[in-house]
Each structure stands twice: as structure tokens, then as C-alpha cells.
Amino acid sequence: MGPPVASRGHTATPTVGKAMLNKYARAFFTRVLTPFAAFLIRRGVSPDTVTLIGTAGVVAGALVFYPRGEFFWGTVVITLFVFSDLVDGNMARQLGRSSRWGAFLDSTLDRVADGAVFGGFALWYAGSGDDNVLCAVSIFCLASGQVVSYTKARGESIGLPVAVNGLVERAERLVISLVAAGLAGMHAFGVPGIQYLLPIALWVVAVGSLVTLIQRVVTVRRESAEAEAAEQQQALGSEADR
């Protein structure tokens, strides 16, 4: 959510599959959402407003429906508001207003939205879902998602490229969790056995997030050592030239 800037996104080269999916999916949704974005602009709505409304919608969908076990309708609401992530960026491009503030607001509210989704799962399993293990897994997904994002941001803030995508990033975490939750919610409509998809998805996200965290920590450790070695070599070269 929020206007994109050149520095936004991953600095590492993505895999071919992710690159193709991102390219064609974004191209499709850009064509679909551009008229709607233009309509909002004509009505005087700002990209930041769309970002805030989108996050509020996701948080409401997750914390109102999920703790009550209404996974299907909760996912429908969340999915509708998740598209604001593309709408506000489209608006920013049309207005030519890409900014550091927009990127900051976008990234910050993304963390809030992610926390609400997995927090909603945790509340369900802590309450009527009555499964302490899955409650703990949901909390781990929430926490690990925040830490995975922090490792990249912190690494970049100290001048490292953090050149690794990782096994399960934010997009994968959300797609796996929301698709599984939406399908699991169809159990309420009489579809048998499908409710087990959500626990499976949470375990997949938890393990994938742990692997991704390890990948990023190892990458930062390697890049840090390489940067320090290069600095020492440069210092020795400077002394030799004197």
C-alpha cells in the first residue's frame, strides 16, 4: 500500500518464476484498476487515503471475522481491501507523486495488516478453535513475518544489499494463508474435510518463514564480512600509497 518509489522492493534478483508472475499479474491488474484509480483521483482522493482505508479494511476483516471462525467471509473482505495496495500505487504513478513518505507509510501499514491477519487466526485458536498448538503457530507466523521484514530493512540500513529473496516472503505468506483460510471457511457451507487446509497452511508458512529468516541472517553475516574485508583491504591500500 502507498505510492511506490524506486527504492521500494527487493534489491536481489528474483527467480524467473517470481519475475514472470509479478510481471504479468501486475500488468493485468494495472489495466483493470487504472480506470478506478483515475476515478478516485478525479474525486480528490489521495493515495495515502487509499492506503489507510485499505489497511483499516484488512484489519477489520481479520479481527472481526477470523476470531469467530468466519474464514470465508473474512477472506473475502480482506481480499477486496488488499487490492488497495495496487490502487494507491497506480494513483501515485498517475499523479507523479512517488515519495519516500509513501513508501514508508506503505511498508509500516503492511506490517499492521499482516499482524492483524495472523492475530485473527491466533485469537480463533485461543478461543473457540481450542487449539493451543495452532495458536502458538499463528503467533510464530505473526512474529517471524515481522522479523523477516526487519532483517532486510536493518541490513539495508547499514549499507548491505541483503541480496536474497528467501523461501517465503510477504506475498507468499499472504497468498498461502488467505487462500487456505478462504477454502477452509467453505466447511461452513458443507464442504467436508476442507477445514484442515488452514492448519496445514499455517505450518507451511511457519516453517517457510523460519527458513527465510535463516537465509537472510546468513546472507547479512556473509555480506557484512565481505564489506569489512573490503574496507580493510582499502585501508591497507591507502596506507601503502602514502
Side-chain angles (χ1 to χ4, degrees):
M1 302 169 192
V5 294
S7 61
R8 185 183 177 193
H10 305 295
T11 57
T13 302
T15 62
V16 174
K18 284 186 179 180
M20 290 181 65
L21 179 62
N22 184 64
K23 174 183 176 182
Y24 292 112
R26 281 194 172 273
F28 170 76
F29 285 113
T30 295
R31 288 195 298 270
V32 171
L33 297 174
T34 293
F36 180 61
F39 170 80
L40 293 178
I41 290 172
R42 290 195 299 272
R43 293 296 181 275
V45 179
S46 71
D48 287 351
T49 299
V50 174
T51 301
L52 291 167
I53 292 174
T55 301
V58 171
V59 170
L63 297 183
V64 170
F65 291 95
Y66 283 174
R68 293 156 54 184
E70 297 179 6
F71 296 119
F72 178 79
W73 292 114
T75 301
V76 169
V77 172
I78 290 170
T79 301
L80 290 175
F81 283 101
V82 160
F83 280 106
S84 67
D85 194 28
L86 297 175
V87 173
D88 59 9
N90 193 308
M91 293 172 66
R93 285 190 294 273
Q94 291 189 46
L95 292 168
R97 291 183 184 173
S98 294
S99 66
R100 291 181 178 84
W101 161 250
F104 170 81
L105 181 65
D106 178 52
S107 296
T108 301
L109 294 184
D110 279 349
R111 305 290 83 76
V112 174
D114 292 357
V117 169
F118 290 105
F121 294 146
L123 287 172
W124 162 250
Y125 287 117
S128 301
D130 193 23
D131 193 319
N132 289 336
V133 172
L134 287 175
C135 175
V137 172
S138 299
I139 293 172
F140 179 82
C141 289
L142 190 163
S144 61
Q146 307 294 323
V147 177
V148 164
S149 297
Y150 174 79
T151 54
K152 187 172 183 66
R154 181 59 178 147
E156 291 175 342
S157 74
I158 58 176
L160 300 176
V162 195
V164 60
N165 281 324
L167 180 64
V168 176
E169 297 181 308
R170 181 174 187 264
E172 288 82 6
R173 290 196 301 270
L174 284 180
V175 169
I176 292 170
S177 302
L178 293 179
V179 169
L183 292 174
M186 296 182 70
H187 178 69
F189 301 105
V191 180
I194 202 166
Q195 71 271 23
Y196 298 110
L197 284 177
L198 180 56
I200 293 171
L202 289 174
W203 277 107
V204 168
V205 170
V207 173
S209 296
L210 178 60
V211 171
T212 302
L213 177 58
I214 293 172
Q215 287 177 304
R216 290 193 173 179
V217 169
V218 170
T219 298
V220 170
R221 178 69 184 89
R222 174 179 53 79
E223 291 177 349
S224 177
E226 291 173 351
E228 289 171 1
E231 289 172 358
Q232 290 176 358
Q233 187 65 32
Q234 184 177 9
L236 290 174
S238 298
E239 289 180 1
D241 291 337
R242 290 178 183 175

